[in-house]
Structures are given as C-alpha cells and as structure tokens.
Amino acid sequence: MPIWLEAGAWGLLAGGALVIGALIAWFVKVPRAVVASVMAFGSGVLISALSFDLIDEAETTGGLLPTLLGALGGAIVYVAANVFLARRGAQHRKRSQEQQPSEDEQAGSGAAIAVGALLDGIPESVVLGVSLLGGGGVGVPVLAAIFISNLPEGLSSAAGMKRNGRSARYVFGVWVGIAVASGIAAMVGSLLLEGAADETIAAITAVAAGAILTMVADTMIPEAFEKTHLYAGLLATIGFLTAFAIGHV
C-alpha cells in the first residue's frame, strides 16, 4: 500500500473516534463527570506523546532551535486562529453543557464551531502522516494518543451541541466531515513531505506539536478541570504514564 494511502487510512481511523464519541453523546446520557475524567486522561496521553514522540524526535532530527521556533510558531498560529473563531462563537466548542451559543444567540456560531473543531484536528492528522515517512510504520503511541483524546472530544462537544439545539444532521455532519478531513490531512501531509529533508520534517512536526499542546491547554484541560477539579491532575498523570508505557512496550 502506498504510504500516502496508508496515512489517509490512519488519519481516518483516528478521526473516526470523534464520530464514535458523538454517537455515544447523542444516544446515551453520559454523566458529565465521566466525560471530564476521560478528557483529563486524554490530555495526559496527548502531552506524553508530544513530549516523547514529537518534540523529542523533532529535536533529535532537526536540532534544538528549529524545534523551539517551530513549536512556538505552531502555538502562535493556533492561538491567533482560536481567538478569531472564539469571537464568532466557538470558544466553548468542547464544552458538554450550555456554554456553547445557539445559532439564535450568536449567528454564525455553528460554522465557527465546525471550523474550530477542524482546527483542533488538522495538526494531529498531519503528525500521523509524517510519522510514516521514516519507513517504520505509523507511530503507535501518537496514534493511540490521538484516538484516545478524540473520543472524549467528540463526546463532550456533541453533547454541548445537542443541548443547544443543534440538529443531528449538523452534529454528525460536522464530525463525519472532520473525520474525512483528518484522513485527507494525513494523506496530504505524507505526500507533500515525502522525500523532504529531515530538518524540514522535524520543523513541521514541531509546529504541529506546538499547536496540539496549545489546544490541550486551551480547550481540553479547562473542560476536564471544571468537573473533576482536584482529580484532573491525577487522571492526566495516569494518561501520561499510559502513553509512556505504550511507547516503551
């Protein structure tokens, strides 16, 4: 199987966790504490993958300064896009309660939430595509981290959409669309960077890692902490250690 096609399949699989989460939220009333707990766990998993499988690998391959600049650049771009979307109603897109505005409360918020969810998923998918370029197959810790974190993301956000009157057509249109876009992003990432210099791949990896870390801090951890409070740190630590163990088995 061509690398680009394999990358697309893995990206679609990881993005599919968002759809699974949305399905659970739509048909099952999951206690908010459970959603928040899984969100905290997923945050720890992602941070672990970022630390040991993305940033460390980027530094080893491309050097310290390019890695630092790339990660900082990814964070700045994500924040700029997030601020823009937040002003249009997407600031609470991962919240499971009534924080998300309805279309009546803020016109255009539905589109902003959809674009915001896409913004959260693209860096993860690019990283998956890039991870295949070394010839060693997909990065299992990174794939596991993205899948595990996507599940509560889809669950929490879809629950919030449902509570604020979004239709099933809108909710599942958003998450299926993002799952497909995740596959395309992973595929395009592998196509564009196949044969690129190691330093270039390291820089792109660092940019994506910076964006992902900023997303975790801006959108996942607040939702997790709001309900789990003192237990959020413990659950995040368990997630961190779980991903660390997966990477060393």
Side-chain angles (χ1 to χ4, degrees):
M1 180 186 294
I3 289 178
W4 61 269
L5 188 58
E6 184 180 355
W10 286 121
L12 183 62
L13 173 64
L18 294 165
V19 181
I20 295 172
L23 283 167
I24 294 171
W26 194 264
F27 294 107
V28 181
K29 188 174 182 179
V30 181
R32 192 178 175 200
V34 174
V35 178
S37 296
V38 181
M39 189 79 79
F41 180 85
S43 298
V45 169
L46 269 182
I47 292 171
S48 181
L50 291 171
S51 303
F52 299 109
D53 295 284
L54 297 182
I55 292 293
D56 184 62
E57 178 66 24
E59 190 278 329
T60 300
T61 305
L64 180 61
L65 185 59
T67 299
L68 294 177
L69 293 177
L72 181 61
I76 291 172
V77 170
Y78 180 89
V79 168
N82 198 38
V83 167
F84 176 81
L85 292 168
R87 291 173 177 170
R88 285 154 180 79
Q91 67 268 37
H92 296 304
R93 59 185 175 273
K94 283 188 171 63
R95 299 301 182 92
S96 58
Q97 299 298 298
E98 291 81 7
Q99 297 98 327
Q100 292 184 23
S102 66
E103 199 67 26
D104 291 336
E105 293 170 329
Q106 186 167 358
S109 60
I113 290 170
V115 174
L118 181 62
L119 171 70
D120 297 337
I122 292 301
E124 299 172 343
S125 303
V126 171
V127 162
L128 274 181
V130 170
S131 74
L132 289 163
L133 297 179
V138 70
V140 174
V142 177
L143 175 63
I146 295 172
F147 190 93
I148 291 171
S149 64
N150 276 351
L151 188 64
E153 284 185 53
L155 201 162
S156 180
S157 186
M161 292 174 182
K162 184 178 180 181
R163 284 178 178 271
N164 286 280
R166 309 284 181 190
S167 67
R169 181 179 179 180
Y170 169 85
V171 172
F172 293 107
V174 166
W175 296 118
V176 171
I178 292 172
V180 172
S182 296
I184 293 173
M187 182 172 62
V188 170
S190 65
L191 278 172
L192 293 180
L193 293 173
E194 189 171 10
D198 289 343
E199 292 77 8
T200 301
I201 294 175
I204 296 298
T205 300
V207 169
I212 294 169
L213 181 57
T214 307
M215 181 271 291
V216 171
D218 280 357
T219 64
M220 291 183 68
I221 292 177
E223 169 66 11
F225 180 79
E226 187 173 338
K227 191 65 180 177
T228 59
H229 295 299
L230 298 178
Y231 298 104
L234 174 61
L235 292 166
T237 300
I238 294 172
F240 183 96
L241 295 175
T242 299
F244 180 78
I246 290 173
H248 287 76
V249 170

